C-alpha cells in the first residue's frame, strides 16, 4: 500500500509544526536566559538544584508529549475509515490496561524521587559557617541586617561569593516575598512569623531581586539588588558599613545634618547622630548605595533632590510623606546625605 497524498501532506504539516514550535521555544529560551530576571541561568547551588529538576521534568514531559502526539497522529492515519474495511471488534485488553497504568506510575515515581531530594536539600538547615542575614519586608522597601557585624542597610544586599548565606525573612507590615531569580526564592516574608532560606552564590556580580507577593500600591517598585563580592571586597564593605556616619564637613552639609537629625530623626537612623528612627531605611551610609527608594532611581544628587521634594510623587503610596522642604533645605540635605559614604 502506498501512502496517499493526503497522508503525506499531513505528515509534512505535522513535522513543520513540530520544527517551528521547537524553534520558537529555542528563541524564547535564548532571550530569557540573558535576562537579569531569568530563572533559566541559575548562579547559586540551590538555584542550580531547582533548575536541574526543571530540566529533568521538562525532558521527561517532552518525551511523553512527542510519544503521545506521534501515536495519535499515526493511529488517525492507520485506522482511518476505509471503504470495505470493518475494524476488529474487541472488549478491552487487560495486558494493555496494566501496561498503561504502570508506565505513568513509573514516570510519577521518577519525578517524585529527585523532587523530594531537592526539597529536602534546599529547605534543610544552612551549612554551619553560613553568613547570617535578617531581611525584613516593609511597604515598599527591604531592610538587611547582619547580626554580629553591626551592619544595617536597605535594598542592597552584599554577600561574599562561595559562602552560604542564611536569610531570615520577616515582615514589618503585610506579606512580602523575597525573590532573586538567579540566586534564590521565592519565600514569603510574613508578619509575626519567621521564614528562612539559604543559598550559596557561586559567581560575583550584581543580581536583581523583586518583591514577589502583591503588597500594595508600590509593590512593583519594591525591588532590591544583590552584590556578590570576592571575600576580601566583602570584608572591606562590612568594615565601611559598620562605621558611624561621617560627620558633616562644610556649611552646606552642616546645615543639612541639622535638618536630618531633627526633621528626619523620627523615621531614619543615622548612626553616630541622635537620629534613631526605625520607620524608614537606615541612612548612615546612604551615599554608598547605587539606588534610591528600593531600586527605583539611580542614586545621584538630582534624583535625591527630586525624592526629598516629593516622595509620594516619585513613588506612588510612599510612606515617607512630602515634608514641604524648600529648595535651600533640599540642597543642604543633599550635600549632607551624599557625603554619607
Ligand atoms: C514619616 C517617616 C519619614 C520621615 C519623617 C522621613 N522619611 Fe525618608 N523615608 C521613609 C520611608 C518609609 C522611606 C522608604 C520609602 C520607600 O522606598 O518606599 C524613606 C526613604 C528615604 C530615602 C531613600 C533611602 C534609600 O535607602 O533608598 C531617603 C534618602 C530619605 N528617606 C531621606 C529622608 C530625609 C532627608 C528626611 C527628612 C527631611 C526624611 N527622609 C524624612 C520615611 C520617612
Ligand atoms: Cu512587597
Amino acid at each position: 500500500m502506498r501512502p496517499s497524498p493526503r497522508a503525506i501532506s499531513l505528515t509534512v504539516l505535522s513535522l513543520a509544526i513540530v520544527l517551528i514550535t521547537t524553534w520558537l521555544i529555542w528563541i524564547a529560551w535564548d532571550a530569557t536566559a540573558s535576562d537579569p530576571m531569568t530563572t533559566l541561568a541559575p548562579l547559586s547551588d540551590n538555584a542550580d538544584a531547582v533548575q536541574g529538576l526543571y530540566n529533568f521534568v521538562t525532558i521527561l514531559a517532552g518525551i511523553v508529549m512527542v510519544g503521545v502526539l506521534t501515536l495519535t497522529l499515526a493511529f488517525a492515519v492507520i485506522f482511518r475509515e476505509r471503504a470495505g474495511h470493518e475494524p476488529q471488534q474487541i472488549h478491552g485488553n487487560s495486558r494493555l490496561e496494566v501496561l498503561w497504568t504502570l508506565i505513568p506510575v513509573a514516570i510519577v515515581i521518577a519525578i517524585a524521587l529527585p523532587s523530594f531530594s531537592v526539597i529536602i536539600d534546599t529547605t534543610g538547615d544552612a551549612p554551619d559557617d553560613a553568613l547570617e542575614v535578617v531581611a525584613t519586608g516593609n511597604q515598599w522597601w527591604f531592610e538587611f541586617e547582619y547580626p554580629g557585624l553591626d551592619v544595617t542597610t536597605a535594598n542592597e544586599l552584599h554577600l561574599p561569593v562561595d559562602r552560604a548565606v542564611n536569610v531570615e525573612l520577616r515582615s514589618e507590615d503585610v506579606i512580602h516575598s523575597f525573590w532573586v531569580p538567579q540566586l534564590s526564592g521565592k519565600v514569603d516574608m510574613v508578619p509575626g512569623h519567621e521564614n528562612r532560606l539559604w543559598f550559596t552564590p557561586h559567581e560575583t556580580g550584581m543580581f536583581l531581586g523583586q518583591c514577589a507577593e502583591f503588597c500594595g500600591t508600590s509593590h512593583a517598585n519594591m525591588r532590591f539588588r544583590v552584590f556578590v563580592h570576592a571575600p576580601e571586597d566583602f570584608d572591606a564593605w562590612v568594615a565601611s558599613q559598620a562605621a558611624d556616619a561621617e560627620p558633616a564637613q562644610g556649611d552646606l552639609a552642616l546645615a543639612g545634618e541639622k535638618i536630618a537629625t531633627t526633621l528626619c530623626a523620627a523615621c531614619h537612623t543615622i548612626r553616630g547622630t541622635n537620629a534613631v528612627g526605625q520607620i524608614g531605611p537606615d541612612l548612615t551610609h546612604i551615599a554608598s548605595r547605587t539606588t534610591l527608594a528600593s531600586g527605583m532611581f539611580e542614586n545621584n544628587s538630582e534624583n535625591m533632590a527630586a525624592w526629598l521634594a516629593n516622595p509620594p510623587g516619585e513613588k506612588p503610596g510612599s510612606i515617607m510623606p512630602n515634608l514641604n522642604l524648600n529648595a535651600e533645605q533640599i540642597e543642604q540635605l543633599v550635600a549632607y546625605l551624599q557625603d554619607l559614604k
Side-chain angles (χ1 to χ4, degrees), residues 138 140 142 174-177 211-215 219 222:
N138 296 263
W140 287 274
F142 291 88
V174 300
I175 301 179
H176 302 275
S177 178
C211 174
E213 180 71 60
F214 181 71
C215 57
H219 161 66
M222 189 169 161

Side-chain angles (χ1 to χ4, degrees), residues 262-316:
T262 49
L263 208 53
C264 324
C267 290
H268 291 286
T269 293
I270 305 173
R271 258 175 301 126
T273 76
N274 60 4
V276 291
Q278 297 289 330
I279 311 284
D282 189 304
L283 298 180
T284 310
H285 297 287
I286 177 68
S288 72
R289 299 209 267 276
T290 63
T291 58
L292 290 174
S294 76
M296 266 191 99
F297 312 106
E298 191 190 328
N299 184 4
N300 57 39
S301 300
E302 202 180 314
N303 290 339
M304 177 86 85
W307 172 257
L308 295 177
N310 185 8
E314 296 288 308
K315 184 171 186 174

Side-chain angles (χ1 to χ4, degrees), residues 112-286:
L113 289 180
S115 302
F116 282 124
S117 149
V118 166
I119 290 171
I120 290 167
D121 282 354
T122 55
T123 60
D125 286 339
D128 286 339
D129 66 340
L131 174 71
E132 296 291 327
V133 172
V134 179
T136 308
N138 296 263
Q139 282 174 320
W140 287 274
W141 57 282
F142 291 88
E143 179 164 76
F144 299 116
E145 288 166 279
Y146 297 69
L149 295 180
D150 272 345
V151 171
T152 301
T153 186
N155 307 321
E156 299 191 354
L157 176 63
H158 291 252
L159 300 174
V161 71
D162 290 332
R163 178 172 169 199
V165 55
N166 190 21
V167 191
E168 196 175 294
L169 302 167
R170 300 182 188 165
S171 170
E172 210 45 67
D173 35 49
V174 300
I175 301 179
H176 302 275
S177 178
F178 181 97
W179 188 37
V180 193
Q182 289 193 278
L183 299 178
S184 187
K186 316 157 176 171
V187 176
D188 277 2
M189 311 171 102
V190 181
H193 175 83
E194 273 163 27
N195 272 337
R196 107 201 141 65
L197 61 80
W198 71 270
F199 60 93
T200 313
H202 52 57
E203 212 146 303
T204 57
M206 192 276 282
F207 306 98
L208 297 183
Q210 166 75 48
C211 174
E213 180 71 60
F214 181 71
C215 57
T217 315
S218 259
H219 161 66
N221 296 322
M222 189 169 161
R223 307 172 205 154
F224 63 107
R225 290 173 178 219
V226 179
F227 293 88
V228 179
H229 301 283
E232 57 277 14
D233 295 341
F234 174 72
D235 292 344
W237 179 81
V238 167
S240 71
Q241 295 290 311
D244 280 350
E246 202 64 34
Q249 307 276 340
D251 291 346
L252 213 55
L254 272 165
E257 183 182 40
K258 201 171 265 173
I259 305 171
T261 52
T262 49
L263 208 53
C264 324
C267 290
H268 291 286
T269 293
I270 305 173
R271 258 175 301 126
T273 76
N274 60 4
V276 291
Q278 297 289 330
I279 311 284
D282 189 304
L283 298 180
T284 310
H285 297 287
I286 177 68

Side-chain angles (χ1 to χ4, degrees), residues 92-109:
N93 181 323
S94 313
R95 197 183 292 175
L96 270 181
E97 305 249 359
V98 170
L99 190 68
W100 67 50
T101 306
L102 285 183
I103 293 174
V105 169
I107 293 175
V108 169
I109 292 175

